[in-house]
Amino acid sequence: MACVMKIEITDSYEALSKAAAKKAANYINNNPGTLVCFAAGDTPLGTFKELLLMQKEGNVDLSTVWYVGLDEWVGLGIDDKGSCIKVMHDSLYNYIPKERVRMFNGLADDIQKECSEIYEWIIKHGGIGLSLLGIGRNGHIGFNEPGTPDVEGCFTVELDEVTKSVSKKYFGKERAVTTGITIGWRTLLDSQEVILLACGINKAQIVKKAIEEDCTPDVPASMLQKHSTLTVILDKGAASLLDQ
Ligand code: GLP
């Protein structure tokens, strides 16, 4: 299917967050009962703040949809600073009915079972409706690291060196993380709508590769070009190397 990529370049992180929240709220308002997948990471934090504000003002009801976690660091749980589950609960899910949310448990004894259960949750809710994703400096989406194969569902991935070194910013210290658990890019591509967010000059080069160069699993975010209605929301820094 041909891609109709929409690129929105905003003036600031605040503007990016507002634009993303507006788009996500619009999806949620128009598609109650569907499944939403929000990335953790720093980039969407402003979006979550805006969504909660919109909910307070009566412009969206976040409890009308279901949620699934995108990824997690294997070995980390809700009490660990920087784990995806903690970030998402602190910034959004504490304000949403518990039964609406299913995130990966990075501490599960049986990680393969965890992968199957998350995929079952996705299937049970009719696939992912909206995916709101960030991009890693190496082009990863979720923990689909460079070279992650085209596999349906969820799986564990050996973390890339870039991801390991960037990870310190979440944990506030060195942690020996080696493995990630993620929804695969193939399943993300099946989402009804995909929004990709990037902000800051340090993402400019990888954003250019992801949206202006050929699709390749070596830059997992570039695979999103195959989505029929991809929206990319950037700030000026992240957009600074784009041709147009
Ligand atoms: C992290 C996560 C992704 C996230 C990406 C970008 O490691 N695995 O889900 O979207 O990298 O993170 P940030 O928004 O902090 O730059």
Side-chain angles (χ1 to χ4, degrees):
M1 192 182 285
C3 179
V4 195
M5 195 192 313
K6 200 174 147 225
I7 304 174
E8 206 173 314
I9 301 171
T10 59
D11 281 338
S12 62
Y13 177 67
E14 288 68 33
L16 171 145
S17 303
K18 279 199 169 85
K22 202 169 157 198
K23 191 139 178 72
N26 195 38
Y27 180 85
I28 291 169
N29 287 337
N30 289 323
N31 298 279
T34 53
L35 183 67
V36 170
C37 177
F38 285 142
D42 289 337
T43 313
L45 294 180
T47 306
F48 302 151
K49 230 179 180 171
E50 285 296 330
L51 278 172
L52 290 174
L53 195 67
M54 289 180 80
Q55 171 157 269
K56 210 170 159 192
E57 290 167 348
N59 294 320
V60 67
D61 181 356
L62 298 172
S63 64
T64 59
V65 290
W66 302 89
Y67 297 89
V68 65
L70 171 63
D71 56 0
E72 188 56 274
W73 310 90
V74 172
L76 301 197
I78 195 150
D79 294 326
D80 292 299
K81 179 176 160 63
S83 66
C84 299
I85 193 166
K86 179 164 174 53
V87 169
M88 291 307 299
H89 275 84
D90 289 351
S91 58
L92 189 68
Y93 293 150
N94 283 343
Y95 308 92
I96 288 169
K98 247 191 187 136
E99 66 278 8
R100 292 259 154 194
V101 181
R102 177 67 166 91
M103 290 200 68
F104 286 106
N105 174 11
L107 294 175
D109 289 336
D110 187 342
I111 290 288
Q112 291 320 318
K113 188 163 167 259
E114 194 59 17
C115 290
S116 314
E117 285 183 11
I118 292 275
Y119 191 45
E120 279 161 25
W121 177 260
I122 294 172
I123 300 297
K124 180 180 160 190
H125 293 99
I128 301 174
L130 170 68
S131 286
L132 180 99
L133 307 172
I135 179 171
R137 279 190 220 168
N138 58 2
H140 75 200
I141 42 171
F143 277 136
N144 287 270
E145 298 287 32
T148 302
D150 184 352
V151 180
E152 192 66 55
C154 308
F155 39 79
T156 56
V157 181
E158 198 181 314
L159 296 174
D160 187 74
E161 288 310 317
V162 176
T163 303
K164 286 191 217 168
S165 94
V166 172
S167 72
K168 281 173 260 170
K169 76 168 176 159
Y170 305 115
F171 310 137
K173 61 174 181 181
E174 293 270 355
R175 286 201 80 136
V177 284
T178 57
T179 312
I181 178 170
T182 191
I183 299 176
W185 59 259
R186 164 59 50 198
T187 298
L188 293 171
L189 261 186
D190 288 338
S191 307
Q192 219 182 317
E193 268 194 42
V194 178
I195 305 171
L196 178 67
L197 302 181
C199 118
I201 194 121
N202 60 6
K203 295 279 177 76
Q205 206 154 19
I206 198 66
V207 163
K208 184 176 176 62
K209 272 194 176 176
I211 66 181
E212 285 189 342
E213 295 182 12
D214 291 345
C215 286
T216 163
D218 291 338
V219 180
S222 71
M223 300 310 286
L224 298 175
Q225 291 178 30
K226 292 178 182 280
H227 195 273
S228 56
T229 56
L230 169 66
T231 301
V232 183
I233 308 179
L234 308 170
D235 73 345
K236 280 184 182 164
S240 58
L241 296 178
L242 296 182
D243 289 339
Q244 346 166 357

